[in-house]
């Protein structure tokens, strides 16, 4: 007997919403995209027409009440995540939420409480955990191939910054919550340890206009882990191509994940930039959505839950505070 497909309703038809919608509609046989909601109804309609989705709404409140929506995919601006999560939870809908879970610890905790009180699942969109290369790296670490990990190194370079309206930390959280949070989640996941202190620096040299909204285009973050390991993270929004690489140095060797792009895949100067060009994590976006749908079908826990989202957020907030205050910050103090 073939299991019924999980009916997913998407809230937010912007860049990330479109990425997730295409993953659901084209490559996730366990799920079916049944409705799209966005305040910009024309944008939602365009995406729905592309993917043959019939229902288009302007209200997330209306979407969560539809009988064909089993779960809600939240891809609105980060500042509105909690609002949609609470609506979905109150309607008894399971929830997939793009990272970050929210912009503050209080809102993240409220999201977790809302889901728990309603008895629904809450998965956070840390797609790197579903990327084949990163999963192979985790497997090799778990086998003890390089012994105890002692150093975490990771970089994430984007071909350009987001529009100023989205770069605004009040909307996205800024570079550490919007971009670096993937690295902070990876640090916890791959090292199997908690980050306890960070020291961060940042600047807006390539795109000085980012300073007008209180953001930066590059940052470097040093990490200290609970069991004594250390790490470093580099973030930049001014590369000529998307570049994501991670290394774990252990007692007996190194595991390298990712490789430098052979040639630029998109760049602002070539008509590309933020949100354009090939996606490094196409397969991971599909895998995370499929894993979410399977958890619902099988009535099991999700792979990346609200607690993971909150833990990564705490590190991101500590890095942001460190960058602004020019001193090390304990993660527990952020």
């Amino acid at each position: 007997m073939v299991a019924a497909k999980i009916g997913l309703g998407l809230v937010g038809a912007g860049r990330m919403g479109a990425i997730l919608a295409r993953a659901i509609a084209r490559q996730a046989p366990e799920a079916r995209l049944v409705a799209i909601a966005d305040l910009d109804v024309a944008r939602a309609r365009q995406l729905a027409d592309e993917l043959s989705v019939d229902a288009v709404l302007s209200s997330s409140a209306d979407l969560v009440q539809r009988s064909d929506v089993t779960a809600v995919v939240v891809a609105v601006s980060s500042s509105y995540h909690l609002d949609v999560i609470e609506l979905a939870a109150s309607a008894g809908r399971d929830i997939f939420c793009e990272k970050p879970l929210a912009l503050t610890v209080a809102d993240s905790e409220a999201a977790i409480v809302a889901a728990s009180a309603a008895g629904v699942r809450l998965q956070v969109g840390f797609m790197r955990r579903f990327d084949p290369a990163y999963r192979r790296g985790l497997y090799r670490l778990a086998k003890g191939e390089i012994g105890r990990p002692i150093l975490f190194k990771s970089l994430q370079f984007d071909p350009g910054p987001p529009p100023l309206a989205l770069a605004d930390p009040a909307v996205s959280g800024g570079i550490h919550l919007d971009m670096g949070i993937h690295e902070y989640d990876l640090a916890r996941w791959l090292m199997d340890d908690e980050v306890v202190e960070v020291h961060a620096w940042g600047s807006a040299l390539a795109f000085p206009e980012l300073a007008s909204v209180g953001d930066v285009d590059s940052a470097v973050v040093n990490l200290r882990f609970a069991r004594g390991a250390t790490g470093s993270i580099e973030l930049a929004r001014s590369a000529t191509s998307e570049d994501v690489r991670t290394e774990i140095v252990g007692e007996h060797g190194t595991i390298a994940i990712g490789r430098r792009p052979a040639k630029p895949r998109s760049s602002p100067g070539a008509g590309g930039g933020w949100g354009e060009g090939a996606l490094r994590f196409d397969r991971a976006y599909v895998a995370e959505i499929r894993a979410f749908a399977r958890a619902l079908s099988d009535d099991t826990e999700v792979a990346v839950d609200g607690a993971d989202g909150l833990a990564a957020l705490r590190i991101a907030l500590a890095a942001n505070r460190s960058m602004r205050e020019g001193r090390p910050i304990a993660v527990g103090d952020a």
Side-chain angles (χ1 to χ4, degrees):
M1 180 177 178
V2 178
K5 292 188 176 185
I6 299 296
L8 299 181
L10 171 70
V11 180
R15 172 178 175 267
M16 276 310 308
I19 289 171
L20 295 172
R22 290 169 185 138
I24 297 165
R26 296 172 178 169
Q27 299 184 72
E30 301 87 350
R32 183 167 63 96
L33 185 60
V34 298
I36 300 175
D38 196 295
L39 291 175
D40 186 339
V41 177
R43 180 170 66 178
R45 171 54 65 190
Q46 182 178 14
L47 182 61
D49 288 346
E50 174 191 335
L51 302 174
S52 299
V53 176
D54 293 331
V56 174
L57 306 97
S58 62
S59 166
S60 55
D62 291 339
L63 180 140
V64 303
Q65 295 298 331
R66 289 180 60 91
S67 60
D68 55 354
V69 171
T70 300
V72 176
V73 176
V74 182
V76 293
S77 297
S78 301
S79 54
Y80 294 107
H81 282 182
L82 176 59
D83 294 341
V84 182
I85 288 170
E86 289 182 332
L87 277 173
S90 67
R93 308 305 187 218
D94 293 298
I95 303 156
F96 177 97
C97 182
E98 250 309 308
K99 59 75 195 166
L101 184 55
L103 297 184
T104 67
V105 169
D107 281 0
S108 296
E109 290 176 336
I112 294 169
V113 168
S116 177
V120 300
R121 297 167 184 81
L122 173 60
Q123 180 170 325
V124 182
F126 288 130
M127 80 293 188
R128 303 263 199 97
R129 294 196 186 201
F130 298 87
D131 176 73
Y134 277 96
R135 294 194 69 82
R136 285 193 297 270
L138 181 69
Y139 175 73
R140 294 172 64 190
L141 285 165
K143 285 201 310 179
E145 189 172 307
I146 61 170
R148 179 175 60 180
I150 60 175
L151 181 66
F152 174 88
K153 303 192 296 178
S154 199
L155 63 84
Q156 182 183 169
F157 297 162
D158 281 355
L164 287 180
L166 295 179
D168 186 345
V171 176
S172 67
I175 197 170
H176 293 289
L177 276 69
D178 181 51
M179 185 176 174
I181 198 163
H182 284 298
E183 310 304 329
Y184 306 134
D185 178 63
L186 282 180
R188 299 182 60 246
W189 185 58
L190 292 173
M191 297 292 282
D192 190 26
D193 199 0
E194 297 298 334
V195 177
V196 295
E197 186 178 35
V198 299
H199 197 177
W201 299 264
S203 62
L205 300 179
F207 296 97
E209 62 269 24
L210 288 171
S212 69
V213 295
D215 200 13
V216 299
D217 59 41
S218 61
V220 174
V221 188
N222 286 338
L223 313 173
R224 183 168 64 85
F225 291 86
R227 295 199 293 268
T230 56
S232 66
I233 291 168
E234 300 174 23
L235 306 171
R237 284 174 156 158
S238 59
T240 57
S241 63
E242 184 183 32
D243 186 1
V244 180
R245 286 174 280 142
T246 301
E247 290 186 17
I248 309 295
V249 180
E251 298 169 296
H252 310 307
T254 300
I255 293 174
I257 304 170
R259 64 185 65 181
R260 185 185 298 275
K263 59 182 179 179
R265 293 192 292 180
S266 60
S267 68
W274 187 82
E276 299 186 35
L279 290 171
R280 159 72 172 81
F281 294 105
D282 275 336
R283 294 172 65 186
Y285 287 121
V286 173
E288 67 176 352
I289 286 291
R290 294 188 67 184
F292 176 64
R294 285 195 297 269
L296 273 57
S297 294
D298 298 341
D299 194 22
T300 58
E301 296 299 316
V302 296
V304 190
D305 62 15
D308 292 314
L310 177 58
L313 176 76
R314 288 184 184 277
I315 304 169
L317 290 171
N320 187 56
R321 181 177 171 188
S322 173
M323 182 180 74
R324 298 185 187 286
E325 296 184 6
R327 63 186 181 90
I329 296 291
V331 171
D333 294 340

